[in-house]
Amino acid sequence: FPSHDRIREDEHKLIELTENKSGLLLFISHSDCDGLLTYKECKQVYDDIKDLVVDTEDSRFREFHKIFAEALKHCYKKRINLYFN
């Protein structure tokens, strides 16, 4: 199990990452069970993740970020909800 100090450090990183980023906070705290982001929520999330740099050697994560951002952008521009499971 992670130590309490490690949990606190992770909480601080999350708070710092989501500060002034309501869309990113919405996405991180969104229930997987709901399976829906409205087109307005897609816009909020897109605005916060479009310029994020995926700093990893694994190109799959960079590709996923690109595809996900484009899906969010498509949904808000076309005013359609994004469904997932």
Side-chain angles (χ1 to χ4, degrees), residues 13-82:
K13 285 180 185 177
L14 182 59
I15 290 167
E16 186 177 299
L17 178 67
T18 58
E19 188 173 21
N20 299 318
K21 295 191 182 306
S22 61
L24 187 56
L25 184 58
L26 169 77
F27 179 68
I28 290 171
S29 62
H30 193 274
S31 170
D32 292 342
C33 299
D34 184 21
L36 166 72
L37 286 173
T38 67
Y39 72 90
K40 290 179 181 180
E41 291 171 329
C42 288
K43 171 87 168 100
Q44 286 181 285
V45 176
Y46 174 77
D47 286 345
D48 286 350
I49 72 161
K50 66 183 177 188
D51 296 325
L52 285 180
V53 175
V54 180
D55 186 17
T56 178
E57 293 179 16
D58 191 336
S59 63
R60 294 175 298 171
F61 291 107
R62 288 190 303 271
E63 187 63 21
F64 175 78
H65 174 265
K66 179 181 169 184
I67 292 168
F68 184 59
E70 286 300 314
L72 292 166
K73 183 178 176 181
H74 172 80
C75 288
Y76 87 75
K77 285 193 171 236
K78 299 290 185 179
R79 294 182 174 216
I80 56 177
N81 295 330
L82 177 65

